[in-house]
């Protein structure tokens, strides 16, 4: 559905990698689908001294490779480029922001969005510069992760930005929350009576949440070495997914109703005692190995990474939620680079039947597997009788493959989230108190690892599923990761 309100989308970092690979392709898909108002404008902002024609040439060169080629229409592409303006801007020069203000006055719009596709160190100076020329009034500001390095730095950024923009103006983006399958997780839970009675400790044995990547750190070695997997993936993506899986039914699918329930989960996470961290947290670092037949280097050999780095590229955690619904149910979280496959999934393992009247049960149990990537699907595993004589049971599954069932175009995560910003929908964005609760929970683990550099991360070969200690942690609870069952 097209948004009829005119908008101006101002993109700081307008020549950067994120803008080229994700943001502008997503806006093009929304444009192609007729979801953007005809009066909407996109203003690229960067230090480069382009004029408008030069910027369009840059977009032509770097964005077209990231848009779908199957039904590409040159006339649609050209009409998309007609939305663009460009402004060269130096953050240290107030006069540049005066010129930006004057440009935006010529682009009257009901909605003005400032998207900061920059490093977090530029968030506060950019917001202050916008406020110095009055551009904060009524605008929406989008902040990319990472928002800080720890709780203190996150609070410092939020405090400074919060002095300039009200909380309802701030959109902290987590692209995992924009995935179609995450929306379907909400629909599955709160649109069907079937699962709600089972979605609790009496019937759920354990839950696994995995985000695995085949890629290494690529050209981000210097950044990643200062960040690590716990900050890069757990504090935001994994804890957000956990909160959606475990939350109570919201009053409505509205911004604060959903975010209030997620916050209750994050505040119910059992605090991690530093003396127990070695039992509930595993960190690893990939060494050289082979992925899909191709040799790949170890982390310490990547560009920008010190040879003696102790930064973790893999994390596995056992998490508990201290409330009536989930008390005693372990949640196992896992993420890593250079793993055996690229996959993001949620596995809900239900308890075994208390007594089998049909004899021995085959390996496996009732479980629900929600695949977030690469192919979004939901699969329910159950037991069925094999054809023939006797009562031989086998595990079978019921599939909902979204790309086969729904023939409509499915939005990518960034497309949905950018449309939500333009339309003023906050439900899929992270509120400040959620972010604080997540940082507060992970900080003891960060502190303990920083205080114990000699212990370091456990090695694992690229192309495997991480260090053996991650499997041993689950074995202590009588379970295993999904891929190990087979």
């Amino acid at each position: 559905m097209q948004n009829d309100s005119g908008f101006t989308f101002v993109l700081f970092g307008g020549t950067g990698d994120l803008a080229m690979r994700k943001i502008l392709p997503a806006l093009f898909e929304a444009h192609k689908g007729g979801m953007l108002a005809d009066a909407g404008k996109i203003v690229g902002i960067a230090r480069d001294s382009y004029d408008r024609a030069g910027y369009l040439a840059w977009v032509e060169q770097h964005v077209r490779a990231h848009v779908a080629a199957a039904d590409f229409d040159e006339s649609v592409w050209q009409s998309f480029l007609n939305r663009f303006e460009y402004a060269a801007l130096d953050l240290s020069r107030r006069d540049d922001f005066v010129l930006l203000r004057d440009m935006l006055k010529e682009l009257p719009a009901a909605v003005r969005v400032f998207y900061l596709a920059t490093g977090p160190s530029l968030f506060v100076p950019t917001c202050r510069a916008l406020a110095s020329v009055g551009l904060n009034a009524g605008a929406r500001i989008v902040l990319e992760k990472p928002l800080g390095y720890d709780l203190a730095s996150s609070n410092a950024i939020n405090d400074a930005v919060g002095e300039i923009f009200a909380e309802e103006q701030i959109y902290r983006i987590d692209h995992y929350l924009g995935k179609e399958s995450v929306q379907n997780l909400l629909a599955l839970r709160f649109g069907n009576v079937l699962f709600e009675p089972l979605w609790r400790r009496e019937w759920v044995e354990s839950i696994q949440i995995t985000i695995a990547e085949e890629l290494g750190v690529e050209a981000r070695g210097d950044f990643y070495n200062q960040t690590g997997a716990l900050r890069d993936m757990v504090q935001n993506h994994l804890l957000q997914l956990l909160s959606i899986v475990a939350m109570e039914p919201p009053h409505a699918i509205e911004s604060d109703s959903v975010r209030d329930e997620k916050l209750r989960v994050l505040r119910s996470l059992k605090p991690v005692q530093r003396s127990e961290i070695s039992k509930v947290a595993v960190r690893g670092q990939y060494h050289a190995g082979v992925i899909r037949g191709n040799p790949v280097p170890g982390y310490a050999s990547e560009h920008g990474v010190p040879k003696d780095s102790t930064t973790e590229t893999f994390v596995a955690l056992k998490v508990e939620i201290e409330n009536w619904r989930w008390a005693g149910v372990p949640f196992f979280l896992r993420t890593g680079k250079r793993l055996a496959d690229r996959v993001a999934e949620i596995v809900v393992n239900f308890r075994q039947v208390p007594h089998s009247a049909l004899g021995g049960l085959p390996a496996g149990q009732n479980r629900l597997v929600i695949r977030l990537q690469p192919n979004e699907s939901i699969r329910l595993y159950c037991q069925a009788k094999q054809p023939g004589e006797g009562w031989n049971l086998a595990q079978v599954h019921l599939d909902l493959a979204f790309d086969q069932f729904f023939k409509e175009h499915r939005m990518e995560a960034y497309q949905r989230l950018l449309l939500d910003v333009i339309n003023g929908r906050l439900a899929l964005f992270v509120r400040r108190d959620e972010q604080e609760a997540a940082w507060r929970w992970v900080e003891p683990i960060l502190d303990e690892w920083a205080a114990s550099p000699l212990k370091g991360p456990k090695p694992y070969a690229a192309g495997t599923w991480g260090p053996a200690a991650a499997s041993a942690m689950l074995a202590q609870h009588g379970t295993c990761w999904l891929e190990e069952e087979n």
Side-chain angles (χ1 to χ4, degrees), residues 69-86:
D71 56 350
F72 185 82
D73 186 312
E74 186 65 36
S75 64
V76 175
W77 175 252
Q78 292 303 320
S79 67
F80 176 62
L81 294 183
N82 289 339
R83 294 182 179 274
F84 279 80
E85 302 291 342
Y86 179 76

Side-chain angles (χ1 to χ4, degrees), residues 228-256:
L230 190 64
R231 290 185 178 91
D232 190 45
M233 298 297 290
V234 175
Q235 181 272 330
N236 39 70
H237 300 326
L238 279 167
L239 288 185
Q240 281 292 315
L241 290 176
L242 180 148
S243 66
I244 290 175
V245 171
M247 65 190 275
E248 295 297 319
H251 169 67
I253 301 298
E254 298 170 351
S255 57
D256 283 333

Side-chain angles (χ1 to χ4, degrees), residues 118-179:
T118 67
S121 63
L122 300 180
F123 290 173
V124 173
T126 303
C127 290
R128 286 176 175 162
L130 290 170
S132 73
V133 295
L135 286 175
N136 58 317
R140 297 167 188 164
I141 188 86
V142 184
L143 305 179
E144 270 283 350
K145 78 173 187 72
L147 202 69
Y149 184 78
D150 53 18
L151 179 60
S153 58
S154 176
N155 281 342
I157 293 173
N158 278 316
D159 287 343
V161 174
E163 292 173 359
I164 299 163
F165 294 93
E167 181 64 28
E168 60 269 20
Q169 294 176 271
I170 303 172
Y171 292 71
R172 299 173 189 86
I173 197 165
D174 183 333
H175 71 273
Y176 267 83
L177 299 185
K179 289 182 176 292

Side-chain angles (χ1 to χ4, degrees), residues 149 224 227-239 277 281-283 311-317 333 335 438-439 441-449:
Y149 184 78
Y224 194 88
T227 306
L230 190 64
R231 290 185 178 91
D232 190 45
M233 298 297 290
V234 175
Q235 181 272 330
N236 39 70
H237 300 326
L238 279 167
L239 288 185
I277 287 174
V282 174
R283 57 173 168 163
T311 297
E312 78 284 354
T313 62
F314 174 96
V315 175
L317 299 168
L333 313 184
T335 186
W439 273 120
W441 187 82
V442 302
E443 199 158 60
I445 305 174
L446 289 170
D447 291 344
E448 175 63 17
W449 287 353

Side-chain angles (χ1 to χ4, degrees), residues 220-330:
R220 300 166 67 236
D222 183 60
F223 161 79
Y224 194 88
N225 200 60
Q226 302 300 316
T227 306
L230 190 64
R231 290 185 178 91
D232 190 45
M233 298 297 290
V234 175
Q235 181 272 330
N236 39 70
H237 300 326
L238 279 167
L239 288 185
Q240 281 292 315
L241 290 176
L242 180 148
S243 66
I244 290 175
V245 171
M247 65 190 275
E248 295 297 319
H251 169 67
I253 301 298
E254 298 170 351
S255 57
D256 283 333
S257 293
V258 172
R259 298 193 295 182
D260 285 347
E261 297 304 336
K262 288 196 295 171
L263 177 63
R264 289 188 179 97
V265 173
L266 293 170
R267 287 179 171 171
S268 298
L269 296 178
K270 183 179 179 180
V272 181
Q273 303 301 320
R274 291 183 68 169
S275 60
E276 297 291 312
I277 287 174
S278 62
K279 299 177 183 177
V280 300
V282 174
R283 57 173 168 163
Q285 185 185 99
Y286 66 83
H287 289 198
V290 177
I291 294 182
R292 300 192 185 278
N294 300 311
V296 295
Y299 175 72
S301 299
E302 300 278 16
H303 178 72
V305 177
K307 299 297 182 185
D308 59 350
S309 172
T310 58
T311 297
E312 78 284 354
T313 62
F314 174 96
V315 175
L317 299 168
K318 177 200 167 201
V319 181
E320 294 183 61
I321 300 174
E322 295 183 315
N323 63 22
W324 275 43
R325 183 182 288 267
W326 296 114
V329 176

